[in-house]
Amino acid sequence: MVGNQLLDGNAEVVHLHGVNYSGTEFACIQGWGFFDGPSDDAMVQALTTWHINVVHIGLNEDCILDINGVDPDYAGANYMNAIVDFVNRLHAHGLYAEVSLMWAAPGSEQALDHPPILDADHAPAALQAIANAFADDPNTFFGLQSEPHDIGWACWQNGGSSCSVGYTALGMQGALDAIRSTGATNPVTASGIDWANNLSQWLSHEPLDPLAQLMAEAHVYGGNSCDTTSCFNTNYAPVAAQVPMVFGETGETYDASSCGTTNINTFFTWADAHGVGYEPWTWDTWGNCSSLISDFDGTPANAYGTFVRDYFQAHW
């Protein structure tokens, strides 16, 4: 990372254009698997036919740490080995990986959803486990927390007494410190507030990274508060001018209400003009308008999926 550009080992600029693969955040806690679909070589090969160069997966805190009653078959070393094996498979096909802490919860609560902010109980250990698993992997970067929400910027940055969420919170500075305490030098993303849609005070609350390898992440869907180029120019452009930035999730609509292409076209066009990467939601066969595919061979599910495939193939 130099300035606002992400660089590879040859000092060439990396443009992130990929997808999310949802499942690793919920299958394990629900007790039936690691992924919501295949994770084999054929699945990864299909990704490459779309010219995808990164896959974003979200992890579950309880499954990482084997706590709070998770089936041990899908937790601890079993869980992390499955994640590492999949990421290595991605790399073998020339893809990067973003590994984020997605579902988490304090104390004895099971991690069944996105928390408002990370918890100080378990998140440091979970982030350290992620960092240790990929510390020697220059082709994987980390997401501190997928979608902070219902908090302010001071809470986001500092956690602790700056928050009022009913538990002891871990802010983004503490989360980054947990990663760096392992010696891992990987780039790290910090998602903004309001379900990662708001970066308005990201720069003024930017966590301090001694390695200067911190990226900004926004999640952008049609129907979000910030879903227009006018908002992007105000809210995102100043951030993207300073640090590398990625739309860590994006899609036509946040609620799968449209399989159209108008919004995603706007988002990609603006991102390309500002050097911002994007990872559309999602490479899953759910049969709704969030799904990019209807089959893990890469068959597009709808107009939205077809647009993303065609755009990637034309531009990358």
Side-chain angles (χ1 to χ4, degrees), residues 60-264:
N60 185 295
E61 184 176 84
D62 289 352
C63 300
I64 295 169
L65 299 177
D66 191 7
I67 59 173
N68 291 336
V70 180
D71 185 332
D73 286 348
Y74 306 116
N78 291 334
Y79 180 71
M80 290 305 296
N81 288 340
I83 301 299
V84 170
D85 287 350
F86 176 61
V87 168
N88 287 340
R89 213 162 288 127
L90 294 174
H91 295 338
H93 285 268
L95 279 69
Y96 299 104
E98 178 179 359
V99 179
S100 298
L101 186 53
M102 183 178 271
W103 284 13
S108 60
E109 292 180 37
Q110 282 201 321
L112 299 175
D113 206 344
H114 294 276
I117 185 78
L118 295 174
D119 61 274
D121 294 342
H122 313 304
L127 289 164
Q128 287 168 340
I130 292 170
N132 283 322
F134 297 102
D136 297 320
D137 177 356
N139 295 315
T140 294
F141 60 102
F142 307 135
L144 295 176
Q145 182 189 350
S146 180
E147 293 187 334
H149 59 276
D150 299 325
I151 57 165
W153 283 104
C155 173
W156 180 87
Q157 180 181 4
N158 301 317
S161 61
S162 297
C163 301
S164 181
V165 290
Y167 56 88
T168 304
L170 183 75
M172 294 306 108
Q173 183 66 63
L176 178 60
D177 291 347
I179 294 276
R180 294 294 177 234
S181 73
T182 66
T185 60
N186 311 55
V188 174
T189 75
S191 296
I193 64 171
D194 298 342
W195 301 92
N197 189 237
N198 180 347
L199 299 184
S200 61
Q201 296 183 46
W202 194 97
L203 289 172
S204 59
H205 291 80
E206 178 183 354
L208 177 63
D209 183 4
L211 303 182
Q213 297 293 304
L214 188 66
M215 303 163 57
E217 179 167 328
H219 293 185
V220 185
Y221 292 91
N224 285 163
S225 296
C226 192
D227 70 350
T228 64
T229 54
S230 173
C231 184
F232 300 164
N233 289 335
T234 301
N235 198 352
Y236 298 162
V239 181
Q242 296 295 319
V243 296
M245 182 173 161
V246 62
F247 288 171
E249 291 182 20
T250 189
E252 185 63 19
T253 55
Y254 74 90
D255 58 359
S257 59
S258 170
C259 294
T261 64
T262 303
N263 293 324
I264 197 68

